[in-house]
Amino acid sequence: MRLLVTGGAGFTGSNFVRHVVEHTDHDVTVLDKLTYAGNTASLAGLPTGRVRFVQGDIADAEVVGRLTGDADAIVHYAAESHADNSLHDPRPFLDTNIIGTYTLLEAARRHGTRFHHISTDEVYGDLELDDPERFTETAPYNPSSPYSATKAGSDLLVRAWVRSFGVRATISHCSNNYGPYQHVEKFIPRQITNVIRGIRPRLYGAGRNVRDWIHADDHSSAVLTILENGEIGRTYLIGADGERSNKDVVELILSLMGEPVDAYDQVVDRAGHDLRYAIDSTRLRTELGWMPLYGDFEKGLAATIDWYRGHEEWWAPSKDATEAFYSGKGQ
Ligand code: NAD
Ligand code: TDX
């Protein structure tokens, strides 16, 4: 297949491109605007005969139409992805997540192109800490932030384009990813790079909030499985049973990095902060036979810490601006 991967210079998109190159003979065209979050260094070393890079905006109908005409499938990762940024300036989230997705869907409709939409568990809102239920494919939408509201809106567009126009689409909702090449604005890389720089980690509020962590490699293998074997029109949840409180994660990072486990600061909480995400991925496992490979979060986190220690040239250019943004908000 010839795949058009949007957002392929970002964290999870570049991981998927590397996964495709390693595990299939599909060719890839990456379409990425290279916002502050995109970095072609995340694609360095991939064979140029199989991976082509195009800088462009998914909301640009001309470039999207041209590239879609050459593709058998679109795998749509591109998004404004950070909840904190969406609380500060929501507009780019509407432009990219809603209008960008609409532009891609129209091209897929015109060309009859298979479409896989990367969504998030955040569209379902949050759960109580003691709720025995986890999110399933039938959970009601209840987004909290401008980020998750625009992701929810884009999901609904995909569903409408499947039903009304017969676009051959699938949707996946993954929980929180960790691993190499994640922007330093996000929780885990922010704390790791803080410790490397001698800055204390920053925990929002009391840190009781729970996230369901999955290694980015496992997200990629799940997306490839759905792309190749998923049922058109169907939604799949991707998760690896990795629930942990933020406080536990900060303490684990500090202890893996040889620092006292209480050497962090509690800072201003995120507005509308979702309490807990938890994914039930039974459908993906039973219907498509997918299994995560990273069972041991501590081991995966230790390898991620090693990666950030060894790749300062990749993250250093973003670090100061990221911390300046946070310090302006007391975070
Ligand atoms: P990221 O911020 O690291 O990367 C986003 C990429 O999209 C960047 O390379 C950026 O340049 C590009 N981009 C942004 N606007 C664009 C536009 N208008 N046109 C073309 N390219 C554009 O994000 P990520 O964490 O890799 O997330 C990617 C997708 O995965 C998002 O749709 C997100 O909702 C979803 N997701 C992420 C996670 C996670 O934990 N990271 C979990 C579940 C779902
Ligand atoms: O410095 C911090 N301190 C802190 O306590 C930061 C940056 C975050 N946090 C908390 C907020 C969250 O409870 O850590 C948790 C994780 O925060 P983020 O890394 O910002 O992720 P989250 O908001 O949970 O969303 C992530 O997973 C779902 C991705 O950013 C989304 O793109 C994806 O949809």
Side-chain angles (χ1 to χ4, degrees), residues 216-233:
D217 291 359
D218 282 331
H219 185 188
S220 292
S221 71
V223 170
L224 187 62
T225 300
I226 297 165
L227 181 71
E228 294 183 337
N229 303 311
E231 189 184 315
I232 298 302

Side-chain angles (χ1 to χ4, degrees), residues 6-14 31-39 54-60 76-82 92 95-97 100 117-122 147 151 172-178 181-183 185-186 213-214 219:
T6 71
F11 165 46
T12 55
S14 65
L31 173 62
D32 197 297
K33 186 177 173 182
L34 297 180
T35 66
Y36 78 95
N39 189 345
V54 177
Q55 183 172 5
D57 190 331
I58 56 165
D60 177 343
H76 176 31
Y77 280 90
E80 286 293 338
S81 68
H82 193 35
D95 293 337
T96 289
N97 301 358
H117 182 62
I118 306 292
S119 187
T120 167
D121 58 359
E122 297 200 28
Y147 161 65
K151 290 297 291 186
S172 59
H173 301 262
C174 192
S175 57
N176 285 63
N177 284 222
Y178 73 98
Y181 298 103
Q182 186 168 29
H183 195 280
E185 69 189 356
K186 303 295 190 332
W213 293 100
I214 181 173
H219 185 188

Side-chain angles (χ1 to χ4, degrees), residues 233-279:
R234 211 148 170 75
T235 291
Y236 299 90
L237 263 56
I238 305 171
D241 304 327
E243 283 187 69
R244 297 232 173 199
S245 75
N246 295 340
K247 183 167 175 288
D248 282 354
V249 174
V250 162
E251 290 176 353
L252 187 54
I253 290 171
L254 284 162
S255 105
L256 288 169
M257 296 184 79
E259 299 290 330
V261 294
D262 59 355
Y264 62 84
D265 291 334
Q266 290 186 344
V267 295
V268 177
D269 206 351
R270 174 182 287 173
H273 197 173
D274 281 335
L275 188 53
R276 172 175 164 238
Y277 305 139
I279 288 265

Side-chain angles (χ1 to χ4, degrees), residues 11 14-23 42-43 46 180-181:
F11 165 46
S14 65
N15 186 288
F16 179 73
V17 175
R18 285 192 298 279
H19 188 84
V20 165
V21 168
E22 195 176 330
H23 296 280
S42 305
L43 296 167
L46 290 172
Y181 298 103

